[in-house]
Amino acid sequence: MKNPLPWLTIGICCALLLPTLFMDGMFMDGVLYSSVSKNYAHGLGTFWEHYYSAASGVAFHEQPPLMFFLQGQFFKVLGDSIYTERIYSLIAALICSGLIYRCWKIIQPSSKTGWLPVLFWFTIPITFYAFINNLEECTMSVFVLAATVHLLRALHTKQRETLHLILAGLMILLAGLTKGVQGMFLLAAPFVWFISVRDKNFIGMLRQSFLVALVPVLFVIYAWFVPAVHNSFAAYFSARFVATFNHSHDTSGSRFHILFELLQGIIGLLVMLGIILFTTKNRFAISKGWRTHKKLILFFACVAVTGIFPLMITLEQRGFYLVPALPFIALAAALIVAPNVELMRTRLKNRRKLTAFISVFGMLLMVGAIVSGVLLAGKPKRDRDKLEDLALIASQTGENEIIAANHSVKEDWGLNTYAMRKYGITIKEDLSLENQWLLLQKTDAVPEGFQRVSISTSIYNLYRKAR
């Protein structure tokens, strides 16, 4: 095998994703999103008025609607098992990988290193964490990368510029319909291209910006005059932005926390860059890649900045918010060391045993990851006690029930989202005798009028209204 490095990349990516992807238990946000998507597939809610649970009393507007619609189609086809959103995430990861590869082939059409930016991107821990946990940033990344393909077609290769800029705008709109304003950062791409590559005058940049913004602006006009769409986005901005700027959703104490998350996330990438530069000729010298591609490197780096710096406006900062910007960091890094990697690839051609070893090792990683994924599928990777308790509770109450709870249990969002996602159970804060079922933590006092159900739970006790 002439080039073993693509096999090594595939093996590493599989090893990072597959063993835990199909295990039970996810980060709360991912379970919440899959719950809303499943409900949509069952006819609860509409595209503009999604539904989470009976306890909320209002439509779900915490995020824009597109991901729930798309994932809902998977639930319609594949059913309600825990694997549905995992398959959705796997397909999203494959599409993103393919689009990053496509971006590379546009800017480096003769290069044999298309695997390199994919490797850099997927080995950033935040990336595979997001896909394992069904986060919205993964769906958003699909549209962001699709928009990037069209932008590079228009800006770099100058192929059918008008068409590709309009299509890029459409993809940017779809990213916005997935994640809101955060998804629209590529609207700045023509300006970033103008200041980094400088192959157009200012008027040309304005024309490109107009074409990219055309579809999103037309949609905003449409949304303003259509009540269902207008009301949906008004509710979204109220639910997200008002609470965010009122500090109700703060997750950090510093506006620079997201930069700390970024630095933590790319330490491995920086180490790989150092190893590549050190093990090839011109050790410690500035890479030939920088000298050759500095304009493109600057473009990708600045695009990443436009996707990261707006996150610093508020104190609601989470590492996975960085996910849509990470492919641009990977592309910039790959351009810096591409000549060095080409040199490594050339050297490997003359070392057949090492080439064979790397190829076999990559294949073994892939096979091992697949086997591990199959063996571990359905086993809990987190929240084991919660998941086991809920299974016992649902065996008594049945599915699609409303269970009363006190405030502390109601505010246990992990429990709430698992209950809705797996069993359609709504947990509602209400200690009145009007409810048949009551769920409390084992240390909570029991109101009069309820009898404990004898099941071997670990965290919670289930009570039935006394007859």
Side-chain angles (χ1 to χ4, degrees):
M1 190 170 293
K2 295 182 179 179
N3 187 5
L5 298 176
W7 279 111
L8 181 62
T9 298
I10 292 171
I12 291 172
C13 292
C14 288
L16 292 172
L17 180 67
L18 295 181
T20 54
L21 177 63
F22 293 99
M23 296 181 72
D24 202 358
M26 288 192 303
F27 177 60
M28 183 271 292
D29 285 19
V31 185
L32 173 65
Y33 301 150
S34 61
S35 300
V36 176
S37 301
K38 186 190 82 167
N39 288 341
Y40 178 77
H42 284 276
L44 299 173
T46 66
F47 183 88
W48 297 112
E49 296 281 328
H50 282 286
Y51 172 90
Y52 171 57
S53 80
S56 62
V58 294
F60 180 83
H61 289 295
E62 287 291 322
Q63 300 292 353
L66 185 56
M67 175 185 167
F68 310 124
F69 168 78
L70 294 174
Q71 195 165 95
Q73 308 313 305
F74 278 70
F75 277 100
K76 288 180 180 179
V77 174
L78 301 177
D80 296 345
S81 83
I82 65 166
Y83 305 117
T84 299
E85 58 264 47
R86 274 81 172 172
I87 293 171
Y88 176 91
S89 295
L90 176 60
I91 291 174
L94 292 172
I95 293 173
C96 285
S97 300
L99 289 170
I100 291 172
Y101 179 83
R102 190 72 198 126
C103 289
W104 186 259
K105 296 304 289 184
I106 292 172
I107 59 177
Q108 296 278 280
S110 60
S111 174
K112 303 295 184 182
T113 54
W115 51 270
L116 183 61
V118 177
L119 176 66
F120 284 171
W121 166 68
F122 209 77
T123 50
I124 299 173
I126 305 168
T127 300
F128 58 84
Y129 173 85
F131 283 97
I132 288 170
N133 286 283
N134 189 43
L135 298 179
E136 277 203 320
E137 285 73 14
C138 302
T139 302
M140 175 184 161
S141 294
V142 170
F143 296 120
V144 166
L145 287 166
T148 305
V149 169
H150 289 296
L151 286 167
L152 291 173
R153 287 284 189 198
L155 302 175
H156 183 68
T157 64
K158 316 297 184 187
Q159 295 177 346
R160 304 174 73 178
E161 181 179 288
T162 299
L163 173 63
H164 283 295
L165 288 174
I166 291 174
L167 290 174
L170 174 61
M171 294 299 108
I172 292 169
L173 171 62
L174 296 178
L177 287 173
T178 301
K179 190 63 180 176
V181 175
Q182 184 182 341
M184 310 290 281
F185 68 92
L186 276 181
L187 287 173
F191 175 73
V192 173
W193 186 269
F194 170 73
I195 63 173
S196 56
V197 179
R198 293 184 175 275
D199 64 349
K200 282 275 187 181
N201 58 28
F202 185 74
I203 300 301
M205 182 273 293
L206 290 179
R207 175 184 173 275
Q208 292 171 338
S209 298
F210 170 78
L211 290 172
V212 170
L214 180 61
V215 174
V217 169
L218 289 175
F219 176 80
V220 170
I221 295 171
Y222 163 79
W224 186 264
F225 290 103
V226 178
V229 186
H230 180 91
N231 294 338
S232 178
F233 277 96
Y236 160 69
F237 279 105
S238 176
R240 294 299 302 176
F241 284 80
V242 173
T244 296
F245 286 101
N246 284 339
H247 302 287
S248 299
H249 293 167
D250 288 358
T251 58
S252 65
S254 169
R255 299 186 191 279
F256 298 100
H257 177 75
I258 199 73
L259 298 181
F260 175 71
E261 293 277 359
L262 175 64
L263 181 59
Q264 275 192 314
I266 64 171
I267 286 175
L269 171 58
L270 296 176
V271 170
M272 282 192 285
L273 290 177
I275 291 172
I276 292 170
L277 292 173
F278 180 77
T279 55
T280 52
K281 68 177 183 179
N282 298 324
R283 296 180 184 181
F284 306 112
I286 296 176
S287 170
K288 177 184 175 183
W290 168 253
R291 298 193 300 272
T292 307
H293 304 296
K294 60 184 175 182
K295 290 183 177 180
L296 276 174
I297 293 168
L298 183 61
F299 169 71
F300 287 125
C302 289
V303 169
V305 167
T306 65
I308 295 170
F309 272 41
L311 301 175
M312 299 168 62
I313 294 174
T314 76
L315 294 176
E316 184 186 358
Q317 300 184 10
R318 301 173 186 269
F320 55 81
Y321 290 173
L322 295 165
V323 167
L326 297 179
F328 301 101
I329 293 175
L331 285 163
L335 281 171
I336 291 173
V337 297
N340 305 72
V341 173
E342 286 282 5
L343 179 62
M344 292 173 62
R345 192 177 66 84
T346 302
R347 289 175 178 174
L348 281 173
K349 287 182 179 179
N350 301 320
R351 304 183 66 178
R352 294 183 178 179
K353 289 184 179 180
L354 180 59
T355 297
F357 173 79
I358 294 173
S359 298
V360 171
F361 180 70
M363 292 177 187
L364 288 175
L365 271 180
M366 180 184 68
V367 172
I370 294 171
V371 171
S372 297
V374 171
L375 294 177
L376 294 173
K379 296 180 180 179
K381 66 172 177 284
R382 59 185 292 168
D383 301 322
R384 177 186 294 271
D385 289 343
K386 232 170 241 189
L387 293 167
E388 291 176 351
D389 279 10
L390 274 172
L392 292 170
I393 290 163
S395 71
Q396 299 295 316
T397 65
E399 297 188 3
N400 304 310
E401 287 286 333
I402 296 178
I403 300 179
N406 60 13
H407 182 73
S408 63
V409 173
K410 173 61 180 71
E411 290 300 304
D412 185 343
W413 285 103
L415 173 71
N416 275 258
T417 53
Y418 283 132
M420 176 54 63
R421 166 62 185 92
K422 296 173 77 69
Y423 307 107
I425 290 175
T426 297
I427 297 176
K428 186 175 183 180
E429 186 176 352
D430 183 3
L431 297 180
S432 71
L433 288 172
E434 296 178 2
N435 297 282
Q436 181 181 0
W437 303 101
L438 173 65
L439 188 64
L440 300 173
Q441 292 182 346
K442 286 184 174 290
T443 55
D444 292 334
V446 185
E448 293 184 6
F450 287 96
Q451 295 177 338
R452 182 175 177 273
V453 178
S454 181
I455 49 176
S456 301
T457 49
S458 301
I459 306 173
Y460 310 98
N461 281 335
L462 177 68
Y463 299 89
R464 187 197 299 267
K465 184 165 63 174
R467 297 176 182 176

